[in-house]
Amino acid sequence: MATDTSPAPIHADNEVTSDWDEESVASSTQSLTESILEHVFENGRRYHRKSKDQYFFPSDDTEQDRLDLVHQLHLELLRGDITMTKFTKDPANVLDCGCGTGIWALDFGDVYPGSHVIGVDIAPLQPGWTAPNVKFELDDLEKEWTYKPNHFNFIHTRHLAAGIKDYKSYVRQIYHHSAPGARLELVEHNLNSYFCDDGTMPKNSAYNRYFQALRTCYKTLGVNPLLHGKEYQQMLEEAGFVDVKLEEYKVPVGTWPKDRKLKRLGWITLESATTGMEAYGHRLFTNLGGLSSEEAKKLIDDVVSTIKSGKEHVYYYEFYLTARKPE
Ligand SMILES: C[S@@+](CC[C@H](N)C(=O)[O-])C[C@H]1O[C@@H](n2cnc3c(N)ncnc32)[C@H](O)[C@@H]1O
């Protein structure tokens, strides 16, 4: 399904402001049956204690709002659909890996009332009450899964790469727990490289300095920050999935594009980056990158100001992969 966000050049608007005149959409609801609810505070942000050495993003309200905003970005990429995968009937057993605030799982359960949806995450970001067909669990998806083999009819995984050190084995577990004929939708973005086609991003851009520092930290952490669409595709095929399809969306960062739809996507990424650059970077820079809190803050402020200025016409890729486990 090629769309107007796929790899065509994005044309810049000559008059850029960082405003967009619409409110974002966020929803939430739910139920947690387990209680590993302790958090720690660092640099003014809250982190989940149990997962803090595995996944370096915060768990506070600011981060949860950001995740819900990014959910909106994906709805817009998919023109309002909750998945790229099309279903002829409600898939019976559905797993949402690394469900975050639970927003996708709840939306999916709403659209497919005949499905039983489990949202699983290492951190308790999910709401305390839920829809009848959606439940939330806490677990580390890098450990051996306790679900039944050949069980799920649809598995959804979005933006987990920062928390998964061995992505191949993660994909193998997904395959093992998928029922014959099950569908998979895997969504990732390039964690640590940003692109610019028109030379507006100089070599010493704050982007380059920020992402160079981030790449170094991810390497120390043992996470591959440079996986791209084709590599995910290969992992799915190697695990045994068939009909593996890859769609790549160019997503602008900031409101610099001329096209209205792309400008709106860029506004969402700008809003997300306003707190996201700190969420991605601060703990990593100060714990693994050798930066002081002040140095980290300066790097983050520089990149956020660059995005807001709209002067550097930068974009990144969202990779959408769909696949099927053979019958
Ligand atoms: C960037 S957020 C994406 C959330 C959600 N998938 C979405 O698209 O809105 C990544 C989520 O994965 C969770 N996570 C990271 N590593 C994990 C792991 N090893 N096992 C389970 N969840 C993990 C984090 O706690 C976080 O909620």
Side-chain angles (χ1 to χ4, degrees):
M1 181 173 78
T3 76
D4 52 359
T5 55
S6 27
I10 303 175
H11 298 290
D13 185 358
N14 295 330
E15 289 166 36
V16 182
T17 71
S18 60
D19 293 331
W20 183 268
D21 47 9
E22 288 174 34
E23 294 278 310
S24 70
V25 178
S27 76
S28 58
T29 26
Q30 339 7 164
S31 95
L32 267 180
T33 50
E34 303 166 41
S35 57
I36 342 165
L37 303 173
E38 276 183 39
H39 295 275
V40 292
F41 290 84
E42 217 176 288
N43 304 315
R45 301 294 303 257
R46 192 191 73 172
Y47 297 84
H48 178 229
R49 184 191 291 280
K50 188 166 176 279
S51 52
K52 80 179 181 46
D53 297 324
Q54 165 94 18
Y55 179 71
F56 274 68
F57 290 30
S59 60
D60 51 20
D61 288 352
T62 306
E63 175 65 357
Q64 293 184 31
D65 288 348
R66 191 185 71 79
L67 293 178
D68 287 350
L69 183 62
V70 174
H71 178 69
Q72 181 65 24
L73 174 88
H74 287 274
L75 289 178
E76 299 206 9
L77 284 176
L78 297 177
R79 297 160 190 252
D81 287 340
I82 184 82
T83 55
M84 179 172 277
T85 307
K86 305 282 177 230
F87 298 99
T88 48
K89 60 176 188 186
D90 299 9
N93 294 304
V94 176
L95 182 68
D96 182 26
C97 298
C99 63
T101 64
I103 193 166
W104 182 93
L106 287 160
D107 278 2
F108 190 91
D110 200 26
V111 177
Y112 297 97
S115 299
H116 294 279
V117 186
I118 296 176
V120 60
D121 201 286
I122 198 168
L125 311 187
Q126 306 72 34
W129 57 276
T130 185
N133 62 336
V134 179
K135 76 171 182 172
F136 295 110
E137 297 180 353
L138 293 176
D139 221 331
D140 179 355
L141 289 160
E142 288 241 271
K143 301 236 166 81
E144 197 174 326
W145 294 13
T146 51
Y147 302 114
K148 285 186 240 155
N150 302 314
H151 177 64
F152 292 105
N153 308 96
F154 179 49
I155 296 186
H156 175 257
T157 165
R158 188 169 74 191
H159 294 179
L160 259 281
I164 302 289
K165 296 192 175 83
D166 186 350
Y167 211 97
K168 273 190 185 173
S169 113
Y170 173 59
V171 167
R172 282 198 294 269
Q173 294 222 68
I174 291 177
Y175 186 86
H176 184 61
H177 293 274
S178 296
R183 312 290 294 273
L184 166 68
E185 188 156 319
L186 184 150
V187 185
E188 291 292 354
H189 56 86
N190 52 293
L191 270 182
N192 279 301
S193 22
Y194 277 61
F195 303 90
C196 173
D197 292 339
D198 62 5
T200 51
M201 183 173 74
K203 264 218 162 79
N204 68 344
S205 163
Y207 274 109
N208 283 334
R209 289 184 283 118
Y210 178 96
F211 284 105
Q212 177 59 46
L214 207 56
R215 277 196 289 275
T216 308
C217 293
Y218 272 122
K219 280 192 185 135
T220 308
L221 186 63
V223 167
N224 181 352
L226 295 173
L227 286 174
H228 56 73
K230 291 253 182 293
E231 282 169 296
Y232 289 113
Q233 183 167 23
Q234 197 180 343
M235 280 188 229
L236 297 191
E237 285 165 354
E238 278 171 11
F241 284 103
V242 294
D243 296 342
V244 182
K245 295 197 177 70
L246 165 67
E247 289 287 339
E248 300 189 344
Y249 292 87
K250 271 185 183 179
V251 182
V253 185
T255 52
W256 60 267
K258 195 174 172 79
D259 173 88
R260 283 289 290 171
K261 182 181 171 192
L262 291 170
K263 191 187 273 298
R264 175 163 164 83
L265 293 182
W267 172 79
I268 297 177
T269 57
L270 184 154
E271 287 298 306
S272 165
T274 302
T275 63
M277 290 298 164
E278 183 188 54
Y280 294 161
H282 204 135
R283 260 199 91 229
L284 278 173
F285 293 154
T286 52
N287 282 257
L288 302 180
L291 299 195
S292 67
S293 188
E294 291 66 37
E295 287 165 336
K297 195 169 171 346
K298 168 89 175 60
L299 194 52
I300 291 159
D301 288 348
D302 284 354
V303 79
V304 171
S305 314
T306 303
I307 297 171
K308 285 187 170 161
S309 79
K311 288 188 181 140
E312 298 186 20
H313 302 160
V314 169
Y315 64 89
Y316 72 98
Y317 285 95
E318 288 283 351
F319 307 120
Y320 266 78
L321 293 111
T322 54
R324 183 172 61 80
K325 182 167 175 172
E327 294 291 342

